[in-house]
Amino acid sequence: MTTRVTINGKPQALQADPATPLLYVLRNELQLNGAKYGCGMGQCGACTVILDGKPVFSCITPLAALEGRAVRTVEDLGSADKPGRLQAAFIKHQAAQCGYCIAGMLTRAQALLDRHPHPTDRQIVRHMEPNLCRCGTHHRILAAIREVAQGPAAGAAHAPATGAAA
Ligand code: FES
Ligand code: FES
């Protein structure tokens, strides 16, 4: 069966069982390896991507739920050579230790900033709660998001870098 979905601005016709989790398609078919497999049960957030503007756990999002919709992955937020503003803030605040949670943290934070360019600390904390970091870098992650949230032009914080590798 074919599922038509836009991923990082690019239309895709995906041939796979409709029950296949989006995470598997991203990593195994499209070589978008930013989103990670952590728990596979919607409990850690390592696999978070943005679906029609909202953060979702791609490990429990089947292709059947994606027809005609738009997905953004961390690869669309910037690249190693040209990090987006949120990525640059994560680097500046050294928010990553092992880094396993970071793609999910970035995409979840991006979804918030897209809807609320200047969230309060409380809004940031509540929004980020579903994503876990077992290295305990939450304070640094929050500092990075806060810096972007308090910046002059939140829109510039997440200029898409469609197709770029993260
Ligand atoms: Fe998807 Fe943990 S791998 S929520
Ligand atoms: Fe290691 Fe978050 S940096 S899990």
Side-chain angles (χ1 to χ4, degrees):
M1 183 172 168
T2 303
T3 303
R4 295 183 194 285
V5 55
T6 300
I7 298 182
N8 295 341
K10 205 166 150 189
Q12 300 278 359
L14 303 172
Q15 309 285 339
D17 186 312
T20 309
L22 171 60
L23 179 63
Y24 296 2
V25 175
L26 293 174
R27 294 182 58 85
N28 299 338
E29 308 297 330
L30 302 176
Q31 284 71 56
L32 294 169
N33 295 315
K36 299 290 186 284
Y37 183 98
C39 64
M41 300 170 67
Q43 293 181 356
C44 75
C47 65
T48 304
V49 299
I50 304 170
L51 175 60
D52 288 342
K54 294 190 178 159
V56 296
F57 299 137
S58 63
C59 70
I60 55 168
T61 303
L63 280 190
L66 299 179
E67 180 64 36
R69 304 181 73 183
V71 173
R72 282 183 81 194
T73 71
V74 71
E75 286 84 357
D76 202 43
L77 306 190
S79 65
D81 290 338
K82 281 184 132 185
R85 198 163 143 211
L86 190 54
Q87 290 169 318
F90 270 57
I91 294 167
K92 176 182 166 187
H93 288 274
Q94 297 189 12
Q97 291 296 308
C98 78
Y100 206 80
C101 70
I102 295 299
M105 293 290 184
L106 283 163
T107 46
R108 178 167 291 277
Q110 188 66 67
L112 174 66
L113 293 167
D114 285 344
R115 272 183 292 146
H116 302 289
H118 303 293
T120 63
D121 264 16
R122 187 179 163 82
Q123 286 173 317
I124 295 171
V125 170
R126 290 191 67 172
H127 178 85
M128 297 302 294
E129 255 173 15
N131 284 43
L132 307 181
C133 172
R134 65 182 177 181
C135 296
T137 67
H138 300 89
H139 287 296
R140 293 180 181 200
I141 290 169
L142 291 176
I145 299 169
R146 184 185 300 124
E147 179 172 302
V148 175
Q150 293 175 348
H158 38 77
T162 300

